[in-house]
Amino acid sequence: MEEEALTTLVRIKGSDKYNVVSVKSTKPIDKGLWVECSKVLSRIYVGIPIEIGDIICKNILNTGVDIVATRNVDS
């Protein structure tokens, strides 16, 4: 099975400037799980402030992989 790092967007609440923040997986995830991971992440709203490396979703789909923010959002 092919594995790659998952990169996507998660919605933000409480920011005047941004609606989403970019995120990525801390380890490669099987591409066959990407659709299910995307469904989980589509239900998440993150409050500000957000810093690079903040864990957005811990152990997604029991894979042992965390989803972390890849940019700072403070307003």
Side-chain angles (χ1 to χ4, degrees), residues 4 6-10 23-30 33-44 55-68:
E4 270 187 48
L6 172 68
T7 58
T8 189
L9 301 170
V10 172
V23 297
K24 69 175 185 174
S25 59
T26 56
K27 298 177 190 169
I29 296 177
D30 181 350
L33 295 175
W34 281 18
V35 170
E36 288 303 313
C37 288
S38 294
K39 286 180 184 176
V40 169
L41 294 172
S42 73
R43 296 185 196 113
I44 294 176
I55 296 175
I56 304 301
C57 182
K58 191 163 184 66
N59 191 22
I60 192 162
L61 297 178
N62 294 319
T63 58
V65 179
D66 297 335
I67 304 297
V68 297

Side-chain angles (χ1 to χ4, degrees), residues 14-26:
S15 173
D16 295 330
K17 292 185 202 172
Y18 303 102
N19 295 324
V20 293
V21 63
S22 56
V23 297
K24 69 175 185 174
S25 59
T26 56

